[in-house]
Amino acid sequence: MRIELGSGLDIIGDIHACYEEFITLLEKLGYEQNEKCLYVHPEGRKILSLGDVMSRGPQSIECMLFFLRHVEEGVAYMIDSNHGWKIARWLDGRKVQMKHGDEKVEEEFKQFEKKHGAKETSVLKEKLKNLLMGAPSHFIITDEGNEKVVCTHAGIKDDFIGKENSRIKDFCRYGDVAGMDEKGKPIRRDWFKEHRGELLIVWGHDPKPEPMVINNTINIDQGAVFGGKLTCYRYPEKDFVFVHALKNYSGKVGADNPIGRRD
Ligand SMILES: [Mn+2]
């Protein structure tokens, strides 16, 4: 789970199947398609996704395929996440409830199978399952061996950094959840208030209209699928690059929309 910084990292917030916006963001960051149709950076920078690349939005398979190919080639990294874990288990044939936008992934696979047949579909499902199941709960970015940044999906406790077990995996996927409210929404505790020290934690999962910087932690989920922005945090430059969503794909408006979109 350690990555040496090298020429720089482009850390990407929750894509949620917004493939067009994601490609636009990569182009804005200077990535170019090579002869193998991979998006590579002329300076050797790499892509790191904070997870939830699929579900809710229109192009889950394209987004997962992107990370399958780019992770295999060693030019991108992807972290485990709540939707990622759900889809991994579904791809593994386990019984899971496909809701909160996961049903769109199931629908995409139905269409994929109509077009490409059962065999190609099951081969792809197996590959994507392995990609998702193999994704670590967090990455530690080192610069010449010195720990600088921790990247995780929904949160992490300082004690968990550099370790991996089922409790830590769950915490990184869902954050510090203290049960559900009467509407079935998770009650989230602010784990980031407890963070101490110089290590920077970059996370997503909980959409905020703008990057939220607290206690050496940065939330970079700006709710692209809810009609917000897809965010990249560039390291070591420590700046932000945004692409506005083409639309609100989520079907959620007003009080149900986490970034307050009314249309
Ligand atoms: Mn999430």
Side-chain angles (χ1 to χ4, degrees), residues 13-14 21 25 208-211 220-232 241-245 259:
D14 300 37
E21 288 84 348
L25 179 59
K208 314 278 181 195
E210 297 297 331
I220 61 162
D221 179 9
Q222 273 60 68
V225 78
F226 298 102
K229 302 183 280 196
L230 184 61
T231 304
C232 170
V241 178
F242 302 102
V243 164
H244 284 269
I259 53 155

Side-chain angles (χ1 to χ4, degrees), residues 61 65 68 72 91 109 112-113 116-131:
I61 293 180
L65 261 177
L68 180 67
E72 261 177 10
L91 291 169
F109 271 104
F112 186 93
E113 187 161 345
H116 301 279
K119 192 170 177 221
E120 200 178 324
T121 307
S122 71
V123 169
L124 177 63
K125 281 183 168 178
E126 178 70 16
K127 284 184 183 171
L128 293 177
K129 181 195 83 180
N130 292 336
L131 170 77

Side-chain angles (χ1 to χ4, degrees), residues 14 16 50-52 56 81-84 153-154 172-174 188 204-207 221:
D14 300 37
H16 275 308
L50 295 181
D52 277 1
R56 298 192 191 277
S81 54
N82 54 315
H83 286 276
H153 181 62
C172 293
R173 282 175 195 136
Y174 307 101
R188 289 170 175 160
H205 179 63
D206 191 3
D221 179 9

Side-chain angles (χ1 to χ4, degrees), residues 156-181:
I156 195 161
K157 283 178 190 267
D158 289 356
D159 289 352
F160 293 169
I161 295 170
K163 301 171 194 161
E164 189 91 291
N165 61 38
S166 60
R167 183 168 160 237
I168 294 171
K169 283 183 179 190
D170 268 352
F171 194 98
C172 293
R173 282 175 195 136
Y174 307 101
D176 199 355
V177 179
M180 300 287 176
D181 68 9

